Amino acid sequence: MNTPKSQKLEIIIPAYRMHSQIFLNALDGISAADAMKRIDGKTNHIVWMAGNFVNMRYGLGQVLGLREEDPYNELFFQAKALNEKFDYPSLEKLKENFHTISSLTYQKLLETTDDKLAEKFPLGMDVSFFEENVLNFIGMCIGREDYLCGQIGLMRKILGYEAMKYDVNETIPY
């Protein structure tokens, strides 16, 4: 495992890498048609969930200093509500973007200093026990990724796919 500059990220780095694995495993074998299905018109579809996950990685990267822009930002930024009138990208396009941004963001996580993590980062939450800084934003991103992977995993089962596997592909270094 790579060692981050900040010891504060030693728990984040393995979680980030595991989320990369889980994300890809959760999407494994999902057909293009099933990726666009909603349940009783009430749920987001898998494409929206995957797009929001990838958008989180772009956002995290930007907070850490990357200049890369999510080409689908207008569809997913800040968990923008699903709109069936929008033309969403394919899972394959989202996976391509995922690999690109995840690698770059991972490198930024490794390079981030304690000073950067302590920087104020207003989220507008106004919660007394939650300091709005870069470190806690990273934690919120990790939590959001957990949530989205769980949602995709549940959709797999509802759509009749076998449960997601926890296999690890050691060739993915981020």
Side-chain angles (χ1 to χ4, degrees):
M1 181 177 93
N2 295 315
T3 304
K5 279 187 182 177
S6 173
Q7 289 183 342
K8 293 177 181 180
L9 294 179
E10 286 182 351
I11 194 168
I12 296 295
I13 298 299
Y16 182 92
R17 288 194 64 191
M18 196 63 194
H19 287 174
S20 292
Q21 299 289 325
I22 291 170
F23 177 73
L24 294 171
N25 290 351
L27 296 177
D28 185 49
I30 302 290
S31 73
D34 285 344
M36 294 299 292
K37 288 182 180 175
R38 300 177 68 202
I39 307 307
D40 296 330
K42 295 178 183 177
T43 66
N44 292 318
H45 48 57
I46 291 174
V47 164
W48 185 93
M49 294 171 199
N52 188 239
F53 184 102
V54 174
N55 187 261
M56 286 295 308
R57 294 252 166 134
Y58 274 98
L60 177 54
Q62 287 173 345
V63 167
L64 297 176
L66 289 177
R67 295 177 189 238
E68 277 65 25
E69 300 261 341
D70 182 353
Y72 305 108
N73 194 55
E74 73 280 355
L75 299 174
F76 303 113
F77 183 65
Q78 293 184 334
K80 184 175 186 174
L82 184 145
N83 185 331
E84 290 191 35
K85 295 177 183 174
F86 291 166
D87 186 24
Y88 286 92
S90 68
L91 278 182
E92 292 311 309
K93 284 284 186 195
L94 292 171
K95 286 180 196 177
E96 288 173 21
N97 290 343
F98 163 80
H99 285 294
T100 300
I101 195 59
S102 293
S103 176
L104 296 170
T105 299
Y106 179 70
Q107 192 57 47
K108 282 304 226 182
L109 281 168
L110 291 173
E111 297 168 0
T112 299
T113 65
D114 286 345
D115 287 342
K116 177 66 177 175
L117 295 173
E119 285 179 11
K120 299 289 181 209
F121 188 76
L123 297 168
M125 293 176 61
D126 196 30
V127 176
S128 64
F129 60 84
F130 186 86
E131 184 178 351
E132 294 187 0
N133 60 26
V134 172
L135 177 61
N136 285 334
F137 174 73
I138 293 169
M140 293 292 286
C141 290
I142 292 294
R144 180 71 181 168
E145 288 183 0
D146 273 331
Y147 173 79
L148 290 164
C149 285
Q151 291 285 304
I152 296 169
L154 181 59
M155 288 293 285
R156 283 184 70 83
K157 294 296 287 177
I158 292 169
L159 294 170
Y161 290 85
E162 67 179 328
M164 182 199 78
K165 301 206 180 328
Y166 284 88
D167 298 341
V168 173
N169 180 346
E170 295 283 348
T171 66
I172 299 173
Y174 45 84

